[in-house]
Every structure is written in structure tokens, then in C-alpha cells.
Amino acid sequence: MKRVTVRDIAALAGVSTSTVSRALNDHPAITQKTKKAVRDACEALSYVPDITAKGLAGQETHTIGIIVPDISNPYFSALCTAMEGRAAEAGYRAILINTLHDPAYELEAIDQLLSHRVDGMLITASSPDSQRKHGALLGDVPCVYLGSNHGPDCSYVEADNARGAYEAAQYLHLLGHREIAFLGGRQGTRTLEQRLAGYRRSMTLNGRPCREITWAGEESGLLQWCGEQAEELFRSGERPDAVLAYSDMAAVKILEAAEVCGLRIPEDLSLIGFDNISFGGLPQMELTTVSQKKFRAGRLAVDRLLKKTGGENIQTRDVLQPELIIRSTCRKREAQEGIS
């Protein structure tokens, strides 16, 4: 006789497989009507949960879920490496889901991980708006957020983005740059808001006007837009002395645009990125950047989560101090170049 599976139950009850798992686990987000439909389907098909249902008895599965918006971004791939490595050291396996910055899939990812009965989740939300919808799904499942797109009542590990951007802009000012532009970042994220706040603080302190170029579209078009905006900026009659890029990936597109426009970095333009991705330090690039301490953040987030899965019911707030990594894409601007 063919073994009855969760898929069979889901088909008979008219729900998803993850909803079946959550209904059997008496998850608060599932209505009583749905739970009854699932139980009736189980009874009709004589369904017996297999060993993966040990989570129903409240036992740990020694599995954690990791949700990130873009694993192709070197920053997130390094972050995931740190998280998975620390989890393995503690005897846990990790299930990674890449949401491609899709808010709907972000919610589906949580649903999928719940169906795998993970002990807890590590989530990098794509925006504050998407994060606000997580609570109804997560229920009492332990969770730690990475990055700045989290709510006030969540546990999180993030970098002090405002301080990082402030210190980067101050460094450019100390080098003699006065016309400093900020380029990149998708509007609607708390990360961009924080980095802009740091940039603005520096510019205001030094009595200089802000020049902000940020993206209002979808994440998928961001990097191409950065390159196009950089070319437009460099061909204009008001080219800045320096650019503070939202991220290292944005800085790469700015470097490409500078080459197309015949500009030398740092001779004609100083440039600072943000994230300290691995290839930013290659000899061909030597990008000055702001480090968010991603490896420390990833390992710390796992430690915080495992304490929660172990029974510590406390909110944790970790804000890591960034570090300016000085390389070769910035130079001192001499007085004869028109410093005022």
C-alpha cells in the first residue's frame, strides 16, 4: 500500500503542505476551521506522521532556517558562510532560502521553514514593510534579524550604518574634498535611511550641501541604475570631488562608469564603498570601504538564536561598530585644486 504523505493530506484538505505541518503543530496563525480540515483529512487517509514530526512533541530538530534577500551579493554570501559555519560548530544544520528581494516569497520562505520544523530562524528582511508581516507567521518560533530592516520588538544584530557613513564622509572631508555625493541605495529601506543620516550629519557639520542620488525602483534594476546615474553625474558640468557609494557593489558600477568617462580613481575622483566585500581588496581594485563586521555579525546572530532555542526568552539588541578600511581609491586633494 502506498504510504500517505503530507502532500496527500494537503490535497484532500485543500491547503498547502506547510499549512498541514503548522496545523498539526497547532500553530496560532492557523484558524480552527483549517486545523479541523487537516485533522479530518488525516483521519480519512489514516495518516501517521513520520520521524520528521518529532517536532510535534516539542523536541528540537537541531535545524535553523536562514533567509537572505540575495545570495549572489558577496556581502550576503559571506554572512551566510559565517552563520552556517557557526551553526555547524554547535551541532546544527542550516536551511538557506534566497528570496530575491521578493516580499511575497519572503513570507513563503518563513512558511517553508516552519514546515521543516526548524528550531529558529535568522532573517535579513528586504524592507521594514515586509518585516512587519512576519510576526503573524512566526508565532513563538525564535528569530533573530540581521541588518536594519526589523521592528522595535525584535531581536537583531546590525551595524551602526549611520556612524559608518559619517566616518566615511568625514574621511573624505579630511582629505580636502568638499563636493561629496552619495550615490546608490533603494528607497524605503532603513539601511539607506541610516547611511544617509550619517552622510548628512557630516555634510552639515562641515557646512556643505548634500547631494543624494538614490533609487526609487525595484531592487533588480538597482545596480544598472547606479552605473547609469554615475555616468550622467560624471558627464555633467557639476562633477563632485568624491563619491560615497551606498555599497561596494554600487562602487563597482561607479568604477566602471568612471572608466567609461575617462576618469581616473583616485586621481580625478575619490571613492568609498560600504560592506567590505571580498573582492574589494583585490589589487586591481583596492577599494576604500566601510566594514560592517559581517563575519562577527553572522556568528553572533547564531549564538543569540541558539540561546533563544535553549529557552532564553529575552530580546537582544546588538549594534556592531563599523570600521573604515582605507585602501587606494581615495587621495588627498591639494590646495591648488580649488579647495574652499
Side-chain angles (χ1 to χ4, degrees), residues 89-247:
E89 290 173 6
Y92 282 72
R93 69 184 181 98
I95 300 175
L96 170 64
I97 299 182
N98 178 32
T99 66
L100 303 174
H101 292 279
D102 183 338
Y105 186 40
E106 191 169 284
L107 295 177
E108 186 178 337
I110 293 174
D111 214 21
Q112 290 179 23
L113 292 174
L114 289 171
S115 72
H116 282 87
R117 306 193 187 288
V118 296
D119 295 336
M121 296 188 204
L122 298 162
I123 303 176
T124 302
S126 59
S127 72
D129 286 340
S130 69
Q131 189 278 327
R132 278 190 281 270
K133 300 174 184 177
H134 293 179
L137 288 174
L138 287 168
D140 57 0
V141 174
C143 178
V144 174
Y145 285 91
L146 291 106
S148 301
N149 293 326
H150 56 75
D153 299 324
C154 302
S155 290
Y156 56 83
V157 178
E158 66 175 333
D160 190 337
N161 286 290
R163 178 172 176 177
Y166 170 78
E167 291 183 352
Q170 284 294 92
Y171 176 65
L172 290 171
H173 185 83
L174 289 172
L175 290 178
H177 300 296
R178 297 297 178 265
E179 301 301 323
I180 304 169
F182 183 102
L183 198 161
R186 180 168 56 93
Q187 295 173 20
T189 68
R190 193 169 288 116
T191 306
L192 175 60
E193 293 172 2
Q194 292 174 348
R195 293 180 189 177
L196 281 175
Y199 163 76
R200 291 167 182 164
R201 178 186 167 205
S202 173
M203 299 302 284
T204 300
L205 181 66
N206 293 297
R208 306 304 302 177
C210 294
R211 193 170 183 182
E212 303 165 7
I213 307 169
T214 58
W215 172 236
E218 296 297 323
E219 184 74 26
S220 58
L222 176 58
L223 289 181
Q224 180 180 343
W225 172 86
C226 283
E228 293 169 352
Q229 289 298 307
E231 281 194 42
E232 184 177 325
L233 179 65
F234 297 155
R235 296 186 191 282
S236 72
E238 300 179 341
R239 175 168 59 83
D241 308 330
V243 175
L244 172 55
Y246 168 79
S247 67

